Amino acid sequence: MSEPGTRTPRERYRAQVQEEIKQHAWGQIATAGASALSLNAIARQMGMSGPALYRYFANRDELITELIKDAYRSLADTFAARAEAGTDLDGLAHALRRWALEDPQRYFLLYGTPVPGYEAPEDTTRITTEIMAHLLDACAAEQPPATPHPLDSQLDNHLAEHRAWAGEHPAPPSALRRALAFWTRLHGVLSLELAGHFTGMGFDPAELYTNEAQALSAP
Amino acid sequence: MSEPGTRTPRERYRAQVQEEIKQHAWGQIATAGASALSLNAIARQMGMSGPALYRYFANRDELITELIKDAYRSLADTFAARAEAGTDLDGLAHALRRWALEDPQRYFLLYGTPVPGYEAPEDTTRITTEIMAHLLDACAAEQPPATPHPLDSQLDNHLAEHRAWAGEHPAPPSALRRALAFWTRLHGVLSLELAGHFTGMGFDPAELYTNEAQALSAP
DNA sequence: CGAGCAGCGTTATAACTTCTAACGAACGCG
DNA sequence: CGCGTTCGTTAGAAGTTATAACGCTGCTCG
């Protein structure tokens, strides 16, 4: 057996068409959101008739699932690239922001409104744990605060006993707490900013984001 | 002129049917999300044929816009009710959490994935400023921290000069900053929790939320 | 090198959606 | 008590996802 990537010319062509379909899908998502994604419209853009796309994706949900996986992959790669340049939490925070601003609807595809019944497939959750591992690395490498906040001890105790999500990672409870704060706080700012809830308010979201990122690095 | 609410029997009936439509709409949204909301399905549930609903709402978007307005109204009312019981930030935080858990999809209708082109009508933005006013009241009433964090001064300076969103509210910049932190941090936890990103991780989201709420009250 | 078949694109069709148009009935206001 | 506004209906257009059945093409394997 050769490389598992592209083998026969058939599979090579198939992968190429699948990629083109996904490119058009991202274009639609970026301009109108994922809910407006239309397989028919993609087929029209590609100059072929509607049902032809079903040779490449079983249905609309499967295409979206694939897009979600690719988006997580992209985020994991930017985190990994940032990790090579040093494991500072602040750098990771701004890498996240740049990635989110690059395509807001891609961000919302991962962290926006969930579809009630949707369960992420296993290969997707593997990527999310990879992302979390990068975050935990950065949190564990950070210096603990000189004067720990007394109110944090309760959550630290809880996390010390409920750290299944961290796997085998040797991060202390305070690092776990900081990882969760990184995730939730930065997502909070990004989500509201990208959704446009700050437009017209007059202040600069970047200032708020930077402030939160700094507070995470030096609590 | 009498009350502007319900006047003629015709208007009374119309308002009643509109309310019933919205009830069924909320039911569908709670179980399948807003994107799956179908006017036809609502009509079927109500025992009338599809196009009849267009006598009450011009189109699907207008119905959703009305639902959004009602949701904001509901949130503003719970904030107002909580404000009467005292202006503590922690109480407000947990009132917000209860309201969000009551109907996660309602929360995402307001703070989830945005529709790229959508602009909130003016009567909706009036409710959001009302909500923000309650939050600013609570933040201004809170005690400032004994030892202010040195990194916060930059954001405070920025907010001091960009406080259009606070209107005439006499809150100091540090209170504005705390209001934004309240919004973004709690939204960050709530959004990820309600979207199911914490399921299977093992820890209790309520512990994380409480920790963030406490940190906001005593930074 | 050629035969055969897997894979691909097509059209036709079903079932669904939003939304408009035209018609008829009923309700209540003056 | 009549007339008009309002409402619910059916019919239909235009769009969607998705399946079925039909050829053609070109790769693969003997």
Side-chain angles (χ1 to χ4, degrees):
Chain A
M1 301 234 192
S2 59
E3 292 294 304
T6 58
R7 296 209 331 258
T8 74
R10 269 249 157 90
E11 291 181 4
R12 188 185 298 267
Y13 174 75
R14 181 178 176 81
Q16 187 178 328
V17 174
Q18 277 182 329
E19 197 51 45
E20 190 179 350
I21 292 173
K22 289 198 271 189
Q23 286 309 315
H24 286 284
W26 280 121
Q28 288 196 12
I29 289 177
T31 62
S35 65
L37 191 151
S38 160
L39 292 189
N40 255 334
I42 294 176
R44 236 177 291 124
Q45 288 177 1
M46 294 178 63
M48 51 195 229
S49 252
L53 294 198
Y54 289 82
R55 296 286 180 192
Y56 299 94
F57 296 96
N59 49 42
R60 210 185 93 114
D61 281 5
E62 190 178 296
L63 171 57
I64 292 183
T65 298
E66 204 64 22
L67 294 174
I68 290 175
K69 201 182 76 180
D70 287 0
Y72 272 124
R73 181 75 268 152
S74 165
L75 178 57
D77 288 347
T78 61
F79 265 32
R82 182 68 218 179
E84 286 193 22
T87 62
D88 62 315
L89 218 45
D90 197 69
L92 213 59
H94 284 90
L96 171 63
R97 180 178 163 83
R98 275 193 302 273
W99 183 86
L101 289 173
E102 217 173 282
D103 188 344
Q105 285 294 326
R106 178 182 59 183
Y107 183 86
F108 282 116
L109 193 60
L110 302 187
Y111 297 112
T113 305
V115 178
Y118 184 78
E119 282 290 325
E122 199 263 341
D123 55 352
T124 296
T125 59
R126 209 164 350 165
I127 306 180
T128 62
T129 61
E130 180 184 332
I131 294 173
M132 180 57 78
H134 284 302
L135 177 54
L136 285 174
D137 286 344
C139 288
E142 210 80 8
Q143 293 293 334
T147 60
H149 200 291
L151 292 174
D152 287 341
S153 58
Q154 183 185 345
L155 180 56
D156 283 353
N157 289 338
H158 177 77
L159 292 178
E161 295 182 358
H162 300 84
R163 50 179 299 152
W165 53 282
E168 303 295 320
H169 204 286
S174 67
L176 302 186
R177 175 172 45 76
R178 213 193 291 211
L180 290 179
F182 181 98
W183 190 13
T184 59
R185 290 185 188 182
L186 298 187
H187 164 69
V189 177
L190 274 180
S191 168
L192 293 174
E193 175 187 1
L194 297 180
H197 283 103
F198 295 156
T199 59
M201 288 182 69
F203 74 94
D204 183 6
E207 295 273 350
L208 177 57
Y209 190 86
T210 299
N211 182 68
E212 287 290 51
Q214 285 176 343
L216 285 164
S217 296
Chain B
M1 299 227 200
S2 60
E3 293 293 304
T6 59
R7 296 211 329 266
T8 74
R10 270 248 157 92
E11 292 182 4
R12 189 183 298 265
Y13 174 75
R14 181 178 178 80
Q16 186 177 328
V17 175
Q18 278 182 329
E19 197 52 44
E20 191 179 350
I21 292 174
K22 290 198 271 189
Q23 287 308 317
H24 286 284
W26 280 122
Q28 288 197 10
I29 288 177
T31 61
S35 65
L37 190 150
S38 159
L39 292 188
N40 255 335
I42 294 176
R44 237 177 290 126
Q45 287 177 359
M46 294 179 63
M48 51 197 230
S49 254
L53 293 198
Y54 289 82
R55 298 286 179 192
Y56 300 94
F57 296 96
N59 48 43
R60 209 184 94 114
D61 281 5
E62 190 178 295
L63 171 58
I64 292 183
T65 297
E66 205 65 22
L67 295 174
I68 289 175
K69 201 182 75 180
D70 287 359
Y72 272 124
R73 179 77 270 152
S74 165
L75 178 56
D77 288 348
T78 61
F79 265 33
R82 182 67 218 178
E84 286 193 21
T87 62
D88 63 315
L89 219 44
D90 198 69
L92 213 59
H94 283 90
L96 171 63
R97 180 178 163 84
R98 276 193 300 273
W99 183 85
L101 288 174
E102 216 172 282
D103 187 345
Q105 285 294 327
R106 179 180 60 181
Y107 183 87
F108 283 116
L109 194 60
L110 302 187
Y111 297 111
T113 305
V115 178
Y118 185 78
E119 282 291 325
E122 199 262 343
D123 56 351
T124 297
T125 60
R126 211 167 352 183
I127 306 179
T128 62
T129 61
E130 180 184 332
I131 294 173
M132 180 57 77
H134 283 303
L135 178 54
L136 285 174
D137 287 344
C139 288
E142 210 81 6
Q143 293 293 334
T147 60
H149 201 290
L151 291 173
D152 287 339
S153 58
Q154 183 184 347
L155 181 55
D156 283 354
N157 289 337
H158 177 78
L159 293 178
E161 296 180 358
H162 300 84
R163 51 179 300 153
W165 54 281
E168 303 295 320
H169 203 285
S174 66
L176 301 186
R177 176 172 45 76
R178 211 193 292 211
L180 290 179
F182 180 98
W183 191 12
T184 59
R185 289 185 189 181
L186 298 187
H187 164 69
V189 178
L190 273 180
S191 168
L192 292 175
E193 175 187 3
L194 297 180
H197 283 102
F198 295 155
T199 59
M201 289 184 68
F203 73 94
D204 183 6
E207 295 274 350
L208 177 58
Y209 190 88
T210 298
N211 182 68
E212 287 290 52
Q214 286 175 342
L216 286 164
S217 297

